Amino acid sequence: MNEKVDLTLTVNGQRHAIRVEPRKTLVDAIRDDCGQTGTHAGCEHGVCGACTILLDGEPVRSCLMFAIQCEGRDIRTVEGLANGNELHPLQQSFIDHHALQCGFCTPGFLMLAAGVLRKRPDIGDEELIDLLSSNLCRCTGYANIIKAVKAVRDGLAQA
Amino acid sequence: MAERGIIGKSLPRLEDPPLVTGRGRFAADINFPHQLHMRIVRSAMAHARIVSIDAEAARALPGVVAVWTAADIPDASPVDFREGPNEKLAPYRQHVLAREAVRYVGDPVAAVFAESAYVAEDAADLVAVEYEELPVVLAADAPPGEFSPGRSTEATLVRQDYGDIDAAFAAAHLVVELDLSVGRHTGVPMETRGAIGRYDAARDVLELHGAAKVPHKNRDSLGRMLGRDVTGIHLYESHVGGGFGVRGELYPEDILVLMAAMRLGRPVKWIEDRREHLMATNHSRQQRHRIRAAVDAEGRLLAIDNEFFHDQGAYIRTHGTRVADSTCGLLPGPYRLPVYRARGHFRLTNKTPAATYRSPSRYETNFVRERVMDEIGRRLGLSPVDVRRRNFLAKEEMPFARPLAALGENVVYDSGDYALLLDKALAAFRWDEVQADMARRRAAGEMVGAALAVFVEKSGLGPTDGARVIVDTTGAVEVVTGGASVGQGFETVVAQVCAETLGVDYDRIRVTHGRTDRIEYGLGAHASRATVMTANATAAAAARVRAKALDVAAEMMQAPIEALDIVAGRVVRTDIESGPSVALGEIARNLAPSAKLRNGREPGLSSDGWFDTEHQTYPYGVQMAVVKVDPETGGVAVERMLVGYDIGRAINPMLVHGQIAGGFAQGLGGALYEEFRYSETGDPLSVTFADYLIPTASEVPEVEILLTEDAPSPCNPLGIKGAGESGIAAVGAVIASAVDEAIGIPGAITELPITPQRLKRILAGIRRPLAAE
Ligand code: FES
Ligand code: FES
């Protein structure tokens, strides 16, 4: 059961050949075995959303998945959001709107919002807040996070 | 100091770029080669004698390096009080691993050290502990039991008073009596705790990584507890995923990773999981108050007599009795109070130990005191505004000394114009219109209500803080502080103060904090003191560096000092346009130890600066809310929320707004949702985010913020007061009052949080006491 298995994870387009126990969660594999510590674990039971990543374009909670389920799939984490030195519009908007304080929840919110806006660039306010309420932040009181995401949505609508 | 307009500007944070790109370094992100992972075996019983511990199976598991029980570390000191020894309270301290008995579910019983975190967890499951159950005490207002043979669970009675209480009550026109309770909840940062111990034998230095809040004070405590020279211990703070009072205190796990790092000769990493966090990290708030107020016919307070029960949980942790002490000292808030008596039963229970959480003792006492003010107003037919106005301390009475103490200092309100702030807030909220609107909507059958609460905060706990400003030869500036950052924007604030004072761009400034190896002293970040103390120390250091730079530049430029200024990192002449200029980096080069131009000046373009203060500052505020109650579900929705707050002077208003909005969300959690509940046998029922409900984006409205600067603090040159606790301070108070209004039952809310179950019971006309669920 605890025999390690070989697998390859593709994180932000980079292939990582790793050797992990079948029970290793995706978040632990991304962090410990692929060395990408931008994805955080805040609860490890699927409630806080700090571990949100994009799996084949869909926001998922990486604490609820096993690494072996993700071989061959496209894993995107916060480290892959920026284009070189150019920040992703959501990253810039989070800075501009003071949408982070401690920053622990931020990668999860960024990936959640990136996933949502990619599929629904014209999502309405109410639905957006509803979706954002699936992640927890203990510092900001959310208003600035909502504003930051809305601003990017509105920018997309104009573009 | 030149007015450059950097202080007071909402500049973007220096902290953000690494945090939005996934390059932050939180405790779990720290790794050392060859490290071990620690897992704690925790008590499953609320109170029991340990009969035996069998760790053989765990030790035999491949990958396990050691399993410790108390017997393996007989020399370990219990977790000490931050402010030093206290003989009376010492027996109530927590051992790093339980000795004869366990006293709450979650009490550390054994520690497993293994090659991986997964193996450590497997092994912990194999440690078999045999217990013999003991009776549990779960309520602080129940009769005290035995903490240990012959020792009461009432560790002490805290008391503060002044004036003749009996005479005051005998002369009263009216006596109001209330029985009020605040539930058990706490900070719950999104990052759980983490600690990595590392012993560098080559240098004989013991390192604790993942430190926060008060690294220097913790270093002193660790020195005492481990019997080491403090110069041989260093603490390192990196990113901290929220502090809120709970993170950064010393806990058993911190001591264990350090002892293990030394004894096992390998770095030891411990990362708390969320379930552990909710049963092991400090809880807070739980108190029951039986309060009486004597008033005259006009509704003026004559006296308050308060007896309260403080639920400390299983042990007394690093803070000692601090929360209960300041509960006594700060309860009177913004009001004139001729006579006062407070008695607090400081009692241990078989629950997680409690300590400070953002706005400690104020969240509780604001609820209690403001409930009393509402009741006085109602009984005498005064509006909530009038009853408060009538009792406010006047601006002319400042500075105002009350014969009480809090946080080891006498309570002296430094400045304030409470009535003015209330007027401004009423206007901003459009209070009269809101009241009319509430009446209309209630007449139409809606359960809506508006209310207000007033509070006094405290910040800038002294007495002294230092900072060091260093300009390197490229002109980059480093500010080394003894402060700490728990995610509040500390670096940006300090950089803004340094930038303005020195005359450089704020983004050329690097702010170092939370590292005992960089500066000898530091007070850390607690009690909203980081901004006040460190900012003023930074201003002092930057001013000295500025003077030194100008002195050298005058010689280099052959110009009188008065004709020089520093702008964007260059010394320029103010008397001639586009004249010559000298970069600060060049001045730094000329101050190198071997530089010719140095001419006996102290080497280096750098200086220490110190700031001393005798008193904390007392910022103050008003909160107003409109709520709507759903009678079907018992749910409460906050439609509007206003926080009016006098900050003295805001260094970065955007950050202050952020602090207020975030604090409000936490306050709302404590008012409506968050509560640690226990079964009759002391089993914790709130150990996941599915049972311990923190507010989400759907529940938290945007806060309207009215920031005033009417009463700069006379206690420090920058005139600033802290902001960390203003958003949370009176949320319990104002929401309770608004819910009363909404349901039309004055004084109905006597207990926080106002859960749907409790509210439905109230609406059904059934009132039951706390913890009866
Ligand atoms: S860590 Fe995955 S949802 Fe909290
Ligand atoms: S910014 Fe700290 S948890 Fe969201």
Side-chain angles (χ1 to χ4, degrees), chain B residues 349-365:
Chain B
T349 56
N350 296 111
K351 298 189 281 195
T352 299
T356 59
Y357 166 35
R358 201 174 197 178
S359 201
S361 82
R362 279 90 72 198
Y363 188 89
E364 299 89 317
T365 55

Side-chain angles (χ1 to χ4, degrees), chain A residues 89-150:
Chain A
L90 278 165
Q91 292 172 315
Q92 189 59 50
S93 189
F94 268 55
I95 295 176
D96 295 343
H97 291 89
H98 187 30
L100 61 148
Q101 288 182 29
C102 78
F104 190 81
C105 69
T106 309
F109 271 101
L110 286 170
M111 298 318 284
L112 174 67
V116 168
L117 292 185
R118 207 181 59 98
K119 275 186 42 190
R120 309 270 314 277
D122 53 356
I123 187 170
D125 284 0
E126 212 170 298
E127 231 186 313
L128 180 64
I129 293 175
D130 212 44
L131 279 166
L132 291 177
S133 73
S134 55
N135 280 17
L136 296 176
C137 171
R138 194 58 162 166
C139 300
T140 63
Y142 303 105
N144 289 350
I145 294 177
I146 295 168
K147 279 187 213 162
V149 178
K150 277 190 195 169

